[in-house]
Structure formats: structure tokens, C-alpha cells
Amino acid sequence: MSGSAPYPPPLPNPPTDGITSLAFSHFDDESETNVLLSSSWDGTLRLYKKSPTSTIFESTSVQKAAENTPLLSACFGHSLRYCYGGGLDGVLYQIDMERGETQTVGRHDKGISALSTSSTQSSPPSSSPFFGCMASGSWDGSLKLWSTKSPATPSSGSIFETTVGGKVFGMDWVENTLLVATSGRKVHLFDVRKSGEAYAAVSTQQRESTLKYQTRSCALFPNSEGFALGSIEGRVAIEYVEENDITAAQGKKKYAFKCHRVDDTVYPVNAVAFHPGGTFATGGCDGSVVMWDAKHKKRLVALPRLETSISALAFSKGESGGSLLAVAQSYTFEEGEKDHPDDQIYVRTMLDHEVKSSK
């Protein structure tokens, strides 16, 4: 059963076309933490900031990367001012969210489907050796690393690049572990290393997903010991990085389960996001968000169903990490072209019983 309170009103000034990503900020300055960034097919990056005197989020900046260029992905740079968008045209854009100025950082040959910066438990975040580094993955099968420590210049370029042999469909980065999910049901794990000012991503594993159908979403555990994969066929797989070193006696064995199904209809799992405590949320084309306890293999709660597909999810970071869950309601055309509800973004305060691991 659901057993959850309804969603609050949606955020003001939402994207006008498909929402492709959500991300919460996490910077040393607490006033710059838990600002929400979105990207969308309308070509805009949008910032939403919580009012200091309430739980209401306000729209603080809307900037377009380029005319007629949908953005497939987004992430923060070294501050709130400079954000990055991955274009369908293969261009990596840096956008000054205060002045509206756009700079081309670099390019892939095809759309940039994923952008990520390292998530860390470090406090302050700038103490992480990967602060100021960003990864991009593309439908052209390439993975690149970029410096975000200072504003881009026309001569800026990637600081590392490699190929992953298939279209990048999802990516996540925790501490020094970078997860990349690609076409052909392949999963790549990289150890990102820093030597002086140079970065490199060393491939440590390439494996095939235990799921039988195409990967749609992925996310690393907060401790990076494992990851979750969501597929187009209403299933989620839980796998461990060091699978070969884990014995059954330790109770850590990969498994998969069915989800996001209504009667005989099976829906894709568009989004996976981990809470800092280790539980995780999935969002599907059935319009539902469900919280799961990976350790105990249990469903915690299903949030009230929204009007159309869930396209993206993000948990808040910083001191109040995990207390907020951002949810993008946005039709993902799994049933082809048709009339559909407007795109909306909701930020919901999560209750303890919804996110805490069961005993």
C-alpha cells in the first residue's frame, strides 16, 4: 500500500519540454547546498533554491544553452554560478547562471547523455581530490573527463578520454568509482585517479548486466560497494563491485526483482537514486516512485502515483542529506506521440519510515 502523504505543489516555472535530469548542489557554503538544477528538451538549465524561512523552492535562474538545442544532461561546476549542460548536438556547454553567457567547453560526436561529478561524504566537499572534475558520457560511445575548477575558455578541452564500446545510457560517480551503463547491457567500472593536476579513469571491470533487457538507469551505493541498474522491462538489479570476493555467508549476493508493473503492463525504470543511508528510490513510466531497502530486499513505501512518467530523481545532499527528494514528472514517449500532462518538478520532504532501512 502507499501510506504516504501527497506531494506538495509543483515548483514554479517548470521546463516546457521533456525533463532529462535533476541534481542537487553540495558546496562548502551551506547557503549554496540543496539548490536544485534541471535540464530539459527545451534547451534550458533551471535553478531552484529553497527559501531560508520555509520549505518552498523558488525559481532563481533560467538560462538557455543555444537555440533549438535540447539538453540531455546537466551538473554543477565548482560553484552555483557555472553549470554544465550536455547537448543533443554533442556540445558540452558551460552556462553562467548569473549572466546568461554560454561557452562551448568541448564536444562529443553525438548527444551527451550523461554528466556527473564525484559524490563524496567529505566535509567540506572541496576536500575531495575530485572536486573540480566532471565526467561526460555520450551516445558516440566515448567517456571524457573535464576540469571545472575555473570558467571555460575557447581553448578548453577534455583532460582524459576513452571509449566504452556502446551508447552511454547512464552514469554515476561516488568517491573514486565511476559507473557507466551502456548499450548491449554492458556495465563499466572505472577507478578515477589523480596525479598532480592530471586525472585518468582506469578501467577496472567490464561486465554484462544480469538483466535481460536494455539498461535505462543506474546508480552507485553511497559507499560505492555496489550499484543498482534499472531496465526497460520493469526490473532492477542489485550488483556488487567486488562480486567475486563476496561469499554467500556475507549475505551480499547480486539479485534482481520486478517493479513498476500495473496488472499485465510492464513499465521502464527511468530513474534510480540512492539515499545517503543506503536505501534507494526508483521512478518508472507508470508514474510511481518507490523506496527500497537493498540490504533486506524489501519495498519500504510507494509514493502517490503522479499523472505520467517519472523521468528523473535526486536526493538532497549536505548536512540534511536525503531529507528531500526531487521528482520530475515528464512523459518519456514510451507510448509514442500523444497528448500528455504538463512537465512538473516536485520536491518532497521524506519521512524517516520512508527512507530508513528496516530491521
Side-chain angles (χ1 to χ4, degrees), residues 7 10-11 14-15 17-24 36-40 48 270-273 281-289 303-315 325-332 334 341-348:
Y7 284 92
L11 300 191
D17 203 352
I19 302 168
T20 54
S21 72
L22 295 173
F24 273 109
L36 183 65
L37 172 68
S38 73
S39 63
S40 64
Y48 300 91
N270 289 333
V272 180
T282 58
C285 286
D286 59 341
S288 69
V289 175
L303 303 186
R305 185 167 294 165
L306 295 175
E307 295 180 292
T308 189
S309 314
I310 306 302
S311 64
L313 297 169
F315 276 106
L325 175 64
V327 179
Q329 170 191 283
S330 185
Y331 178 56
T332 53
E334 63 278 359
D342 292 339
D343 298 320
Q344 302 286 2
I345 299 173
Y346 298 87
V347 177
R348 189 181 188 280

Side-chain angles (χ1 to χ4, degrees), residues 129-130 145 149 159 191-202:
F130 307 110
L145 298 181
K149 287 186 176 179
I159 54 179
D191 179 9
V192 183
R193 302 175 182 178
K194 183 181 181 185
S195 177
E197 293 301 312
Y199 290 90
V202 179

